[in-house]
Amino acid sequence: MRVNLRKLALAAGTAFIGFSAHGALAQSVTMAVAAPVTSLDPHYHQLSPNNAVADTIFDKLVNTDAKSNSLPGLALSWRAVEPNVWEFKLRPNVRFHNGNPFTAEDVAFTLRRLPNVPNSPSSFAAYSRPIQAIEIVDPLTIRFRTAAPHPLMPLDMTNVRILDQETHQNATTEDFNAGRAAIGTGPYRVVSHRSGDRIEFERNDNYWGDRAPFQRVLYRMITNDAARTAALLAGDVEFIDQVPTSDLAKLRQDNRIALSETVGLRLIFLGLDHLRKANENSPFITDNDGKPLGKNPLQDVRVRRALSIAIDRRAIVDRVMEGAAVPAGQFLPEGVYTHVPGVAPPAFDADAARRLLAEAGYPQGFRIQLNGPNDRYVNDARIIQAVGQMWTRIGVRTTVEAQPWTTFVGRAGRADFSAHLIGWGSNPDGSHPLRNVLATQTREKGWGSSNRGRYSNPQLDSLLDQSLVELDEAKRVQLVIQAQRIAADDVAVIPLHIQTNIWGMRRHLAHDARNDELTRAQDVRPAAR
Amino acid sequence: MTVYLVRRILQALLVVLAMSLIVFIGVYAIGDPVEILISPDADQIERERAVQALGLDLPLWQQYAVFLTKALQGDLGRSFVYNEPALKLILQRMPATMELAFGATILALIIGLPLGLYAGLRPDGRFSRMIMAGSILGFSLPTFWVGLMLIMVFAVYLGWLPSTGRGETGTLLGMQWSFLTWDGLRHMAMPAINLSLFKISLVIRLTRAGVRETMLMDYVKFARAKGLSPARVTFVHVFKNILIPVVTVVGLELGSTIAFSVVTESVFAWPGMGKLIIDSINVLDRPVIVAYLMLIVLMFIAINLIVDLTYSMLDPRVRLESKGT
């Protein structure tokens, strides 16, 4: 009898432990991200980690799915009612975390706030600037009037997180950071925030969309790559982002760990000096004896093409990137609507590269320095070393200089370099890299602010100009594709590869890998058993 | 004594001033914070707005003048990144770093002093040799490597300790401290040990050298000849005299641990000041860098002062007034 009782108690005990472990499993999750979130104010700093967290707390008129396709968010539908007027029909019965109803007034308030966030180091003002007048038709219909047709309005709205006029009228960035004002309509609400360390979320049970999978989420920041992987292996955290490429092989073999991955939208490429004219010296190019060349060989498209096909992209992807990238010949990967069909990654051909150099008048090659950051992109310093060796092989003797991003980026912006490695994290519309990286630098239009090689091509500029006012979506996409094709044919920049985004998690979890790199709490859910 | 203190404080202010100037020029020379903070797709108008919003459109000397004027009113500026007062950000993270630094120092003394004493009293024993060999490892192994090894062994393979983070905290004096909870202590253990390894080795070596030197002194021989017990000779006569170099070095080490435990804090994701400063340097968050280094300068000056005062207590021959003449 006694024995039986003890057995019973033991059985009950195990049952209880089993239950609570399972319960805990489904109720909460601990995530660790690599990049610190600097603010919970969704309009203070345009920065991926902040945007990821803002997407969890707030909603946008237009949301995006894992492949960056637009989805109805707080707006159910949108259309241009006149060439210069966009109308958004808003979702009814949406409430903020504090119970306030969401209406068109809140949208108007949010757009007015964008340019007025004090001390913002990178504001969202660009998204409200095209709007000249806001018209509230009824509580669930809002119209934006622009000076010229603005086909990118819905895309712009995928960047604007909507606040509540009543709650946030006088809210400061500090109020958001303290959690007091971090009140949105999103799937999770903020419980607590310790800056640079952790954010605790709780499910918003009144969410208008799919119910968030966990009752609680602990969102930690572990910047050190090795420590983040170790925390996952130790089970202290159940989910990590930015899995370091050096740990990939090991994690793939570990049967406690699952990975989720997708080709991203970040192209790593080489920018070339287009600023110095054909008869000027480029700062880091000399002849083989180290004397000034008297001309800038990079102005010759044959030289640019030679440098491009001299690079064995497959080798870089396989050896340096450990497979965590795909070779690229343009800004956007296959499957994205503005991907240019038929522009494949340039095939590696050292002989053809030598021939092109000879045709261009450099049978003996020349000397060049390739600059790049060493703390910004995945394996950045090792990539430029590999490229340097490949260029040297075709007779372009290359020295390589990697330096910290803080010193590199300023010099790159001043076009100090002859050739430099840099990356571009795009939104899925080709107009984004065109406008910022490839268009002629023009202050009035806001073009080319990241055109660090100062590439300039009137044909490309004119196509871009047309596309920016073309409301017919099919035509617009064709214009954008055409402009990108010109850049690829002209080797405006040398594309290397597009990074793969990789997340790691314990087997009991599943995740929708996003191509925009955002690590959002609502994308993590229990794995189907 | 008062004159001495006043002079030290004036010196301190001068150093702080020089420091802030150097950091201003240094950050200016490295690069443009806006280039680093701004979203890459920001256009020229937005870039100009950001430069203006952060006050970086003024000439450098004017920026410095603005900073000094505000600093005199107790405002060290707002962080470019967090949009919060720099001083507040630093002070928020200070407890985390303090408890780690003190934890490591206490460990160093508890472990280092007895081992050093033993090695000094029996310099040829096998155990002493093991201690000395171990202390070489403590000196030479890089902190980040030891930290990762600790995580691999105790968190990943054995699962005894949590790998990273600060764990639960308790509140004392309105601040959050990990050492008040069991979970917090478990989180503290590995980073504290990691930080203390170097210090333990240092204390062992200093103590051993001190003991070996002191044992040959006449007053020790005399004390022995007088028939005092070996314990009394060791713990009263010898121990007190070897403490002077140990106090100096441990004091200065404490300062550098508080200021620069960057590596340990980032390996263990310990949300302290060290992590803040390295993150701030990476994005050229000048207000935080300046405020942080000013605080650190003040702290070092204070520690030096305390060390000097401790000297005079340990060794009556040291007279503070006579210094610096």
Side-chain angles (χ1 to χ4, degrees), chain B residues 184-201:
Chain B
L185 276 177
R186 277 163 43 87
H187 278 85
M188 232 177 99
M190 283 201 293
I193 289 172
N194 192 34
L195 264 186
S196 70
L197 277 185
F198 179 83
K199 281 182 245 303
I200 292 175
S201 314

Side-chain angles (χ1 to χ4, degrees), chain A residues 182-198:
Chain A
I183 293 164
T185 55
Y188 286 101
R189 63 171 82 214
V190 174
V191 178
S192 70
H193 171 223
R194 234 196 280 165
S195 174
D197 180 30
R198 59 180 57 196

Side-chain angles (χ1 to χ4, degrees), chain A residues 25-38:
Chain A
L25 226 61
Q27 285 312 305
S28 69
V29 68
T30 304
M31 308 165 60
V33 295
V37 176
T38 61

Side-chain angles (χ1 to χ4, degrees), chain A residues 44 123 174 236 432 443 449, chain B residues 41-42 46 48 78 80 163:
Chain A
Y44 171 66
S123 84
E174 271 180 86
D236 290 336
H432 191 239
R443 186 185 180 278
S449 59
Chain B
D41 59 6
E46 168 59 18
E48 282 159 23
R78 293 178 88 83
F80 295 159
S163 62

Side-chain angles (χ1 to χ4, degrees), chain B residues 247-291:
Chain B
V247 166
T248 319
V249 171
V250 168
L252 291 178
E253 265 294 306
L254 177 69
S256 55
T257 318
I258 293 172
F260 309 115
S261 45
V262 179
V263 173
T264 299
E265 284 188 5
S266 54
V267 167
F268 289 95
W270 189 264
M273 302 188 299
K275 246 183 116 245
L276 177 69
I277 186 67
I278 197 70
D279 290 346
S280 300
I281 290 173
N282 281 336
V283 293
L284 297 182
D285 192 351
R286 192 179 67 197
V288 176
I289 305 177
V290 175

